Amino acid sequence: MGRWQPNARGRLAEAALELYGERGYEQTTVAEIAKRAGLTERTFFRHYADKREVLFSGAVDLEGLFARAVAEAPESAAPLDAVACGFGPVSEMFADRRDFARRRQAVIMAHDNLRERELIKLAALSGAIAEALRIRRVGEPAASLAAEAGVAVFKVGFERWIAESERRGMAEILRESLAELRSVAASG
Amino acid sequence: MGRWQPNARGRLAEAALELYGERGYEQTTVAEIAKRAGLTERTFFRHYADKREVLFSGAVDLEGLFARAVAEAPESAAPLDAVACGFGPVSEMFADRRDFARRRQAVIMAHDNLRERELIKLAALSGAIAEALRIRRVGEPAASLAAEAGVAVFKVGFERWIAESERRGMAEILRESLAELRSVAASG
DNA sequence: AGGGTCGATGACAGTAACTGACATCGATGT
DNA sequence: ACATCGATGTCAGTTACTGTCATCGACCCT
């Protein structure tokens, strides 16, 4: 038995999500989050760089999963098809966490400071995908554009998946959104 | 003659850009910015909501100009073509400010806090464009996807325009980038 | 001319995010 | 038994940001 309760990081993240949901992001102090997790404010900042980051510890996993899938796409796949290869694994990652994702998304969308952090995480995701494409010998600006387009599809699809009442799979919605993007981008 | 020097807002913005460039964003205090502008810290916060916003006062103009151009595009224009109608006016807006834009962009890219603010401004731009498309009876998710794609083209093209040594016009670069996006999105 | 209102600014105190330095103390290894 | 280590606590300090009240030239009204 350790000297401290286990999983301090997770307790902090859960406490933060609860409090941001109950009182709102601005009305919650870091000291309150730490107290609910049974820790001190100083310890919060040892686990998370700032008050926003506590909601985004999953971002590196998402980025790694997505980028690896793009890197391992069939050699013959066109850039945007390679990006679409990331949709499958990512959909699985979220499959059994829809309620959590919905709760978290509602909190994030409620405050611009959190939206900003979400956007820079998506930008980092886009950068990692673009890098994976460049390794596949996709040139610029095609790599960046395919990555940005793919992330746009993911963003739009993710929000639809969260908003929908029917329990359609995320993968299906992402396929639809991708088709819609292709249709929109097709020259008239 | 007024009781105070004119254009306090502009003086604050110029002082901030200078100081962020000289010492970096984090090493600059709001009190220093205000002092260089001949004002006090409290007055800074009357003109700008926070330390980041001082670099983004032009964002509303950009958004208005872009969205209006999309709204006024020929009725026959397809969604992405309507978005592309915004590229012309926006290119003109930046035409004679390349050095300023480059200086500002270098400062923004140097610190994540400023990148985050830039990203949420671009997200607002995308939202405004999507709204203009919806008024043109473009459905969802086509409107959001066309807007996101258009902003991705603008983002990529803008960075190229700033990075290039040759003095090509931004409009030309944006046309190229749009063609590249279309090529990337075309089904294999 | 005199008086009243207005609007941009200054002065000052207060909250909360974040940081650095040092102390604590159970676990772990030798 | 003893030294070391690592996660945490404690405390003081800086700075972003806010609320409140005072100041004082410009402007208006009579």
CSV table of all heavy atoms in Angstrom, one decimal, chain C residues 7-27:
chain,number,residue,atom,x,y,z
C,7,DG,P,-20.8,59.1,-22.6
C,7,DG,OP1,-21.7,58.8,-23.6
C,7,DG,OP2,-20.8,58.4,-21.3
C,7,DG,O5',-19.3,59.0,-23.1
C,7,DG,C5',-18.6,60.2,-23.6
C,7,DG,C4',-17.1,60.0,-23.5
C,7,DG,O4',-16.7,60.7,-22.3
C,7,DG,C3',-16.7,58.5,-23.3
C,7,DG,O3',-15.5,58.3,-24.0
C,7,DG,C2',-16.6,58.4,-21.8
C,7,DG,C1',-16.0,59.8,-21.4
C,7,DG,N9,-16.3,60.1,-20.1
C,7,DG,C8,-17.4,59.7,-19.3
C,7,DG,N7,-17.4,60.2,-18.1
C,7,DG,C5,-16.3,61.0,-18.1
C,7,DG,C6,-15.8,61.9,-17.0
C,7,DG,O6,-16.3,62.0,-15.9
C,7,DG,N1,-14.7,62.5,-17.4
C,7,DG,C2,-14.1,62.4,-18.6
C,7,DG,N2,-12.9,63.1,-18.8
C,7,DG,N3,-14.5,61.7,-19.6
C,7,DG,C4,-15.6,61.0,-19.3
C,8,DA,P,-15.0,56.8,-24.3
C,8,DA,OP1,-15.1,56.6,-25.8
C,8,DA,OP2,-15.6,55.9,-23.4
C,8,DA,O5',-13.4,57.0,-24.0
C,8,DA,C5',-12.7,58.0,-24.6
C,8,DA,C4',-11.5,58.3,-23.7
C,8,DA,O4',-12.0,58.9,-22.4
C,8,DA,C3',-10.7,57.1,-23.3
C,8,DA,O3',-9.3,57.4,-23.5
C,8,DA,C2',-11.0,56.8,-21.8
C,8,DA,C1',-11.3,58.2,-21.3
C,8,DA,N9,-12.3,58.2,-20.2
C,8,DA,C8,-13.4,57.5,-20.1
C,8,DA,N7,-14.0,57.7,-18.9
C,8,DA,C5,-13.2,58.6,-18.3
C,8,DA,C6,-13.4,59.2,-17.0
C,8,DA,N6,-14.4,58.9,-16.2
C,8,DA,N1,-12.4,60.0,-16.6
C,8,DA,C2,-11.4,60.3,-17.5
C,8,DA,N3,-11.1,59.8,-18.7
C,8,DA,C4,-12.1,58.9,-19.0
C,9,DT,P,-8.2,56.3,-23.3
C,9,DT,OP1,-7.1,56.7,-24.2
C,9,DT,OP2,-8.8,55.0,-23.4
C,9,DT,O5',-7.7,56.5,-21.8
C,9,DT,C5',-7.0,57.7,-21.5
C,9,DT,C4',-6.9,57.9,-20.0
C,9,DT,O4',-8.2,57.8,-19.5
C,9,DT,C3',-6.1,56.9,-19.2
C,9,DT,O3',-4.8,57.4,-19.0
C,9,DT,C2',-6.9,56.7,-17.9
C,9,DT,C1',-8.0,57.6,-18.1
C,9,DT,N1,-9.3,57.1,-17.5
C,9,DT,C2,-9.7,57.6,-16.2
C,9,DT,O2,-9.0,58.4,-15.6
C,9,DT,N3,-10.8,57.0,-15.8
C,9,DT,C4,-11.7,56.1,-16.4
C,9,DT,O4,-12.7,55.7,-15.9
C,9,DT,C5,-11.2,55.7,-17.7
C,9,DT,C7,-12.0,54.7,-18.5
C,9,DT,C6,-10.1,56.2,-18.2
C,10,DG,P,-3.7,56.5,-18.2
C,10,DG,OP1,-2.4,57.1,-18.5
C,10,DG,OP2,-4.0,55.1,-18.4
C,10,DG,O5',-4.0,56.9,-16.7
C,10,DG,C5',-4.0,58.2,-16.2
C,10,DG,C4',-4.2,58.3,-14.7
C,10,DG,O4',-5.5,58.0,-14.4
C,10,DG,C3',-3.3,57.4,-13.9
C,10,DG,O3',-2.8,58.0,-12.7
C,10,DG,C2',-4.2,56.2,-13.6
C,10,DG,C1',-5.6,57.0,-13.4
C,10,DG,N9,-6.8,56.2,-13.7
C,10,DG,C8,-7.0,55.5,-14.8
C,10,DG,N7,-8.2,54.8,-14.8
C,10,DG,C5,-8.7,55.1,-13.5
C,10,DG,C6,-9.9,54.7,-12.9
C,10,DG,O6,-10.8,54.0,-13.4
C,10,DG,N1,-10.0,55.3,-11.6
C,10,DG,C2,-9.1,56.1,-11.0
C,10,DG,N2,-9.4,56.5,-9.8
C,10,DG,N3,-8.0,56.5,-11.6
C,10,DG,C4,-7.8,56.0,-12.8
C,11,DA,P,-1.7,57.4,-11.8
C,11,DA,OP1,-0.7,58.5,-11.6
C,11,DA,OP2,-1.2,56.1,-12.4
C,11,DA,O5',-2.4,57.1,-10.4
C,11,DA,C5',-3.6,57.7,-10.0
C,11,DA,C4',-4.1,57.1,-8.8
C,11,DA,O4',-5.3,56.3,-9.1
C,11,DA,C3',-3.2,56.1,-8.1
C,11,DA,O3',-3.3,56.2,-6.7
C,11,DA,C2',-3.6,54.7,-8.6
C,11,DA,C1',-5.2,54.9,-8.7
C,11,DA,N9,-5.8,54.1,-9.8
C,11,DA,C8,-5.3,53.8,-11.0
C,11,DA,N7,-6.1,53.1,-11.7
C,11,DA,C5,-7.2,52.9,-10.9
C,11,DA,C6,-8.4,52.2,-11.1
C,11,DA,N6,-8.7,51.6,-12.3
C,11,DA,N1,-9.3,52.2,-10.1
C,11,DA,C2,-9.0,52.9,-9.0
C,11,DA,N3,-7.9,53.6,-8.7
C,11,DA,C4,-7.0,53.6,-9.7
C,12,DC,P,-2.3,55.4,-5.7
C,12,DC,OP1,-2.1,56.4,-4.6
C,12,DC,OP2,-1.2,54.8,-6.4
C,12,DC,O5',-3.2,54.2,-5.1
C,12,DC,C5',-4.6,54.4,-4.8
C,12,DC,C4',-5.3,53.1,-4.5
C,12,DC,O4',-5.9,52.6,-5.7
C,12,DC,C3',-4.3,52.0,-4.0
C,12,DC,O3',-4.9,51.4,-2.9
C,12,DC,C2',-4.2,51.1,-5.3
C,12,DC,C1',-5.7,51.2,-5.8
C,12,DC,N1,-5.8,50.8,-7.2
C,12,DC,C2,-7.0,50.2,-7.6
C,12,DC,O2,-7.9,50.1,-6.7
C,12,DC,N3,-7.2,49.8,-8.8
C,12,DC,C4,-6.2,49.9,-9.7
C,12,DC,N4,-6.4,49.5,-11.0
C,12,DC,C5,-4.9,50.5,-9.3
C,12,DC,C6,-4.8,50.9,-8.1
C,13,DA,P,-4.0,50.4,-2.0
C,13,DA,OP1,-3.6,51.2,-0.8
C,13,DA,OP2,-3.0,49.6,-2.8
C,13,DA,O5',-5.1,49.3,-1.5
C,13,DA,C5',-6.5,49.7,-1.5
C,13,DA,C4',-7.4,48.5,-1.9
C,13,DA,O4',-7.4,48.4,-3.4
C,13,DA,C3',-6.9,47.2,-1.4
C,13,DA,O3',-8.0,46.4,-1.0
C,13,DA,C2',-6.2,46.6,-2.6
C,13,DA,C1',-7.1,47.1,-3.7
C,13,DA,N9,-6.5,47.1,-5.1
C,13,DA,C8,-5.3,47.5,-5.4
C,13,DA,N7,-5.0,47.4,-6.7
C,13,DA,C5,-6.1,46.8,-7.2
C,13,DA,C6,-6.5,46.3,-8.5
C,13,DA,N6,-5.7,46.5,-9.6
C,13,DA,N1,-7.7,45.8,-8.7
C,13,DA,C2,-8.5,45.7,-7.6
C,13,DA,N3,-8.3,46.0,-6.3
C,13,DA,C4,-7.1,46.6,-6.2
C,14,DG,P,-7.7,45.1,-0.1
C,14,DG,OP1,-8.7,45.2,1.0
C,14,DG,OP2,-6.3,44.9,0.1
C,14,DG,O5',-8.3,43.9,-1.0
C,14,DG,C5',-9.6,44.0,-1.6
C,14,DG,C4',-9.7,43.0,-2.7
C,14,DG,O4',-8.9,43.5,-3.9
C,14,DG,C3',-9.1,41.6,-2.4
C,14,DG,O3',-10.1,40.6,-2.6
C,14,DG,C2',-7.9,41.4,-3.4
C,14,DG,C1',-8.3,42.3,-4.5
C,14,DG,N9,-7.2,42.8,-5.3
C,14,DG,C8,-6.1,43.5,-4.8
C,14,DG,N7,-5.2,43.7,-5.8
C,14,DG,C5,-5.8,43.2,-6.9
C,14,DG,C6,-5.3,43.1,-8.2
C,14,DG,O6,-4.2,43.6,-8.7
C,14,DG,N1,-6.2,42.5,-9.1
C,14,DG,C2,-7.4,42.0,-8.7
C,14,DG,N2,-8.2,41.4,-9.6
C,14,DG,N3,-7.9,42.0,-7.5
C,14,DG,C4,-7.0,42.6,-6.6
C,15,DT,P,-9.8,39.1,-2.0
C,15,DT,OP1,-10.9,38.8,-1.1
C,15,DT,OP2,-8.4,39.0,-1.5
C,15,DT,O5',-9.9,38.2,-3.3
C,15,DT,C5',-10.9,38.4,-4.2
C,15,DT,C4',-10.6,37.7,-5.5
C,15,DT,O4',-9.6,38.4,-6.2
C,15,DT,C3',-10.1,36.2,-5.3
C,15,DT,O3',-10.8,35.4,-6.2
C,15,DT,C2',-8.7,36.3,-5.6
C,15,DT,C1',-8.6,37.4,-6.6
C,15,DT,N1,-7.3,38.1,-6.7
C,15,DT,C2,-6.8,38.3,-8.0
C,15,DT,O2,-7.3,37.8,-9.0
C,15,DT,N3,-5.6,39.0,-8.0
C,15,DT,C4,-4.9,39.5,-7.0
C,15,DT,O4,-3.9,40.1,-7.1
C,15,DT,C5,-5.6,39.3,-5.7
C,15,DT,C7,-4.9,39.9,-4.5
C,15,DT,C6,-6.7,38.7,-5.6
C,16,DA,P,-10.9,33.8,-5.9
C,16,DA,OP1,-12.3,33.3,-6.2
C,16,DA,OP2,-10.2,33.5,-4.6
C,16,DA,O5',-9.9,33.2,-7.1
C,16,DA,C5',-10.1,33.6,-8.4
C,16,DA,C4',-8.9,33.3,-9.2
C,16,DA,O4',-7.9,34.2,-9.0
C,16,DA,C3',-8.3,31.9,-8.9
C,16,DA,O3',-7.9,31.3,-10.1
C,16,DA,C2',-7.1,32.3,-8.0
C,16,DA,C1',-6.7,33.5,-8.8
C,16,DA,N9,-5.8,34.4,-8.0
C,16,DA,C8,-5.8,34.6,-6.6
C,16,DA,N7,-4.9,35.4,-6.2
C,16,DA,C5,-4.2,35.7,-7.3
C,16,DA,C6,-3.1,36.5,-7.5
C,16,DA,N6,-2.4,37.2,-6.6
C,16,DA,N1,-2.6,36.7,-8.8
C,16,DA,C2,-3.3,36.0,-9.8
C,16,DA,N3,-4.3,35.2,-9.7
C,16,DA,C4,-4.7,35.1,-8.4
C,17,DA,P,-7.7,29.7,-10.3
C,17,DA,OP1,-8.9,29.1,-10.8
C,17,DA,OP2,-7.1,29.2,-9.0
C,17,DA,O5',-6.5,29.7,-11.4
C,17,DA,C5',-6.7,30.5,-12.6
C,17,DA,C4',-5.4,30.8,-13.2
C,17,DA,O4',-4.7,31.8,-12.4
C,17,DA,C3',-4.5,29.6,-13.4
C,17,DA,O3',-3.8,29.9,-14.6
C,17,DA,C2',-3.6,29.7,-12.2
C,17,DA,C1',-3.4,31.2,-12.0
C,17,DA,N9,-3.1,31.7,-10.7
C,17,DA,C8,-3.8,31.4,-9.5
C,17,DA,N7,-3.3,31.9,-8.4
C,17,DA,C5,-2.2,32.6,-8.9
C,17,DA,C6,-1.3,33.5,-8.2
C,17,DA,N6,-1.3,33.7,-6.9
C,17,DA,N1,-0.3,34.0,-9.0
C,17,DA,C2,-0.3,33.8,-10.3
C,17,DA,N3,-1.1,33.0,-11.1
C,17,DA,C4,-2.1,32.5,-10.3
C,18,DC,P,-3.2,28.6,-15.4
C,18,DC,OP1,-3.0,29.0,-16.8
C,18,DC,OP2,-3.9,27.4,-15.1
C,18,DC,O5',-1.7,28.5,-14.8
C,18,DC,C5',-0.7,29.4,-15.2
C,18,DC,C4',0.4,29.5,-14.2
C,18,DC,O4',-0.1,29.9,-12.9
C,18,DC,C3',1.2,28.3,-13.9
C,18,DC,O3',2.4,28.4,-14.7
C,18,DC,C2',1.5,28.3,-12.4
C,18,DC,C1',1.0,29.7,-12.0
C,18,DC,N1,0.6,29.8,-10.6
C,18,DC,C2,1.4,30.6,-9.8
C,18,DC,O2,2.3,31.2,-10.2
C,18,DC,N3,1.0,30.8,-8.5
C,18,DC,C4,-0.1,30.1,-8.0
C,18,DC,N4,-0.4,30.3,-6.7
C,18,DC,C5,-0.9,29.3,-8.8
C,18,DC,C6,-0.5,29.1,-10.1
C,19,DT,P,3.6,27.4,-14.6
C,19,DT,OP1,4.4,27.4,-15.8
C,19,DT,OP2,3.1,26.1,-14.1
C,19,DT,O5',4.5,28.0,-13.4
C,19,DT,C5',5.0,29.4,-13.6
C,19,DT,C4',6.1,29.6,-12.6
C,19,DT,O4',5.5,29.9,-11.3
C,19,DT,C3',7.1,28.4,-12.4
C,19,DT,O3',8.4,28.9,-12.4
C,19,DT,C2',6.7,27.9,-11.0
C,19,DT,C1',6.2,29.1,-10.3
C,19,DT,N1,5.2,28.8,-9.2
C,19,DT,C2,5.3,29.4,-8.0
C,19,DT,O2,6.2,30.2,-7.7
C,19,DT,N3,4.3,29.1,-7.1
C,19,DT,C4,3.2,28.3,-7.3
C,19,DT,O4,2.4,28.1,-6.4
C,19,DT,C5,3.1,27.7,-8.6
C,19,DT,C7,2.0,26.8,-8.9
C,19,DT,C6,4.1,28.0,-9.5
C,20,DG,P,9.7,27.9,-12.5
C,20,DG,OP1,10.5,28.4,-13.6
C,20,DG,OP2,9.2,26.5,-12.4
C,20,DG,O5',10.4,28.2,-11.1
C,20,DG,C5',10.5,29.5,-10.6
C,20,DG,C4',11.1,29.5,-9.2
C,20,DG,O4',10.0,29.4,-8.2
C,20,DG,C3',12.1,28.4,-8.9
C,20,DG,O3',13.2,29.0,-8.1
C,20,DG,C2',11.3,27.4,-8.2
C,20,DG,C1',10.3,28.3,-7.4
C,20,DG,N9,9.0,27.6,-7.1
C,20,DG,C8,8.3,26.8,-7.9
C,20,DG,N7,7.2,26.4,-7.4
C,20,DG,C5,7.2,26.9,-6.1
C,20,DG,C6,6.2,26.8,-5.1
C,20,DG,O6,5.1,26.2,-5.1
C,20,DG,N1,6.6,27.6,-4.0
C,20,DG,C2,7.7,28.3,-3.9
C,20,DG,N2,7.9,28.9,-2.7
C,20,DG,N3,8.7,28.4,-4.9
C,20,DG,C4,8.3,27.7,-5.9
C,21,DA,P,14.4,28.0,-7.7
C,21,DA,OP1,15.6,28.9,-7.9
C,21,DA,OP2,14.4,26.7,-8.4
C,21,DA,O5',14.1,27.8,-6.2
C,21,DA,C5',13.8,28.9,-5.4
C,21,DA,C4',13.7,28.4,-3.9
C,21,DA,O4',12.3,27.9,-3.7
C,21,DA,C3',14.6,27.3,-3.6
C,21,DA,O3',15.2,27.5,-2.3
C,21,DA,C2',13.8,26.0,-3.6
C,21,DA,C1',12.4,26.6,-3.2
C,21,DA,N9,11.3,25.8,-3.7
C,21,DA,C8,11.1,25.3,-5.0
C,21,DA,N7,10.0,24.7,-5.2
C,21,DA,C5,9.3,24.8,-4.0
C,21,DA,C6,8.0,24.4,-3.5
C,21,DA,N6,7.2,23.8,-4.3
C,21,DA,N1,7.7,24.8,-2.3
C,21,DA,C2,8.5,25.5,-1.5
C,21,DA,N3,9.7,25.9,-1.8
C,21,DA,C4,10.1,25.6,-3.1
C,22,DC,P,16.4,26.4,-1.7
C,22,DC,OP1,17.4,27.3,-1.1
C,22,DC,OP2,16.7,25.4,-2.8
C,22,DC,O5',15.6,25.7,-0.5
C,22,DC,C5',14.7,26.4,0.3
C,22,DC,C4',13.8,25.5,1.0
C,22,DC,O4',12.8,25.1,0.2
C,22,DC,C3',14.5,24.2,1.6
C,22,DC,O3',14.2,24.1,3.0
C,22,DC,C2',13.9,23.1,0.8
C,22,DC,C1',12.5,23.7,0.5
C,22,DC,N1,11.8,23.1,-0.7
C,22,DC,C2,10.4,22.7,-0.5
C,22,DC,O2,9.9,22.9,0.6
C,22,DC,N3,9.8,22.1,-1.5
C,22,DC,C4,10.4,21.9,-2.7
C,22,DC,N4,9.7,21.3,-3.6
C,22,DC,C5,11.7,22.3,-2.9
C,22,DC,C6,12.4,22.9,-1.8
C,23,DA,P,14.7,22.8,3.8
C,23,DA,OP1,15.4,23.4,5.0
C,23,DA,OP2,15.5,21.9,2.9
C,23,DA,O5',13.4,22.1,4.3
C,23,DA,C5',12.4,22.9,4.9
C,23,DA,C4',11.2,22.0,5.2
C,23,DA,O4',10.5,21.6,3.9
C,23,DA,C3',11.5,20.7,5.9
C,23,DA,O3',10.5,20.4,6.9
C,23,DA,C2',11.5,19.7,4.8
C,23,DA,C1',10.5,20.2,3.8
C,23,DA,N9,10.7,19.9,2.4
C,23,DA,C8,11.8,20.1,1.7
C,23,DA,N7,11.7,19.7,0.4
C,23,DA,C5,10.4,19.2,0.4
C,23,DA,C6,9.7,18.5,-0.7
C,23,DA,N6,10.2,18.4,-1.9
C,23,DA,N1,8.5,18.1,-0.4
C,23,DA,C2,8.0,18.2,0.8
C,23,DA,N3,8.6,18.8,1.9
C,23,DA,C4,9.8,19.2,1.6
C,24,DT,P,10.7,19.1,7.8
C,24,DT,OP1,10.1,19.5,9.1
C,24,DT,OP2,12.1,18.6,7.7
C,24,DT,O5',9.8,18.0,7.2
C,24,DT,C5',8.4,18.3,6.9
C,24,DT,C4',7.7,17.2,6.3
C,24,DT,O4',8.1,17.0,4.9
C,24,DT,C3',8.0,15.8,7.0
C,24,DT,O3',6.8,15.2,7.3
C,24,DT,C2',8.8,15.0,5.9
C,24,DT,C1',8.2,15.7,4.6
C,24,DT,N1,9.1,15.6,3.4
C,24,DT,C2,8.5,15.1,2.3
C,24,DT,O2,7.4,14.7,2.2
C,24,DT,N3,9.4,15.1,1.2
C,24,DT,C4,10.7,15.5,1.2
C,24,DT,O4,11.4,15.5,0.1
C,24,DT,C5,11.2,16.1,2.4
C,24,DT,C7,12.6,16.5,2.5
C,24,DT,C6,10.4,16.1,3.5
C,25,DC,P,6.7,14.1,8.5
C,25,DC,OP1,5.5,14.4,9.2
C,25,DC,OP2,8.0,14.2,9.2
C,25,DC,O5',6.6,12.7,7.8
C,25,DC,C5',5.7,12.5,6.7
C,25,DC,C4',6.1,11.3,5.9
C,25,DC,O4',7.0,11.7,4.9
C,25,DC,C3',6.8,10.2,6.8
C,25,DC,O3',6.4,9.0,6.3
C,25,DC,C2',8.3,10.5,6.4
C,25,DC,C1',8.0,10.8,4.9
C,25,DC,N1,9.2,11.4,4.2
C,25,DC,C2,9.3,11.3,2.8
C,25,DC,O2,8.3,10.8,2.2
C,25,DC,N3,10.3,11.9,2.2
C,25,DC,C4,11.3,12.4,2.9
C,25,DC,N4,12.3,12.9,2.2
C,25,DC,C5,11.3,12.5,4.3
C,25,DC,C6,10.2,11.9,4.9
C,26,DG,P,5.6,8.0,7.3
C,26,DG,OP1,4.3,8.6,7.5
C,26,DG,OP2,6.4,7.6,8.5
C,26,DG,O5',5.4,6.7,6.4
C,26,DG,C5',4.2,6.5,5.6
C,26,DG,C4',4.7,6.0,4.3
C,26,DG,O4',5.7,6.8,3.8
C,26,DG,C3',5.2,4.6,4.3
C,26,DG,O3',4.6,3.9,3.2
C,26,DG,C2',6.7,4.7,4.1
C,26,DG,C1',6.8,6.0,3.3
C,26,DG,N9,8.0,6.7,3.5
C,26,DG,C8,8.5,7.2,4.7
C,26,DG,N7,9.7,7.8,4.5
C,26,DG,C5,9.9,7.8,3.2
C,26,DG,C6,11.0,8.3,2.4
C,26,DG,O6,12.0,8.9,2.8
C,26,DG,N1,10.9,8.1,1.1
C,26,DG,C2,9.8,7.4,0.5
C,26,DG,N2,9.8,7.2,-0.8
C,26,DG,N3,8.8,6.9,1.2
C,26,DG,C4,8.9,7.1,2.5
C,27,DA,P,4.8,2.3,3.1
C,27,DA,OP1,3.5,1.7,2.6
C,27,DA,OP2,5.5,1.8,4.3
C,27,DA,O5',5.8,2.2,1.9
C,27,DA,C5',5.4,2.7,0.6
C,27,DA,C4',6.6,2.6,-0.4
C,27,DA,O4',7.6,3.5,0.0
C,27,DA,C3',7.2,1.2,-0.5
C,27,DA,O3',7.4,0.9,-1.8
C,27,DA,C2',8.5,1.4,0.3
C,27,DA,C1',8.9,2.8,0.0
C,27,DA,N9,9.7,3.4,1.1
C,27,DA,C8,9.4,3.5,2.4
C,27,DA,N7,10.3,4.1,3.1
C,27,DA,C5,11.3,4.5,2.1
C,27,DA,C6,12.5,5.2,2.2
C,27,DA,N6,13.0,5.7,3.4
C,27,DA,N1,13.2,5.4,1.1
C,27,DA,C2,12.7,4.9,-0.1
C,27,DA,N3,11.6,4.3,-0.3
C,27,DA,C4,10.9,4.1,0.9
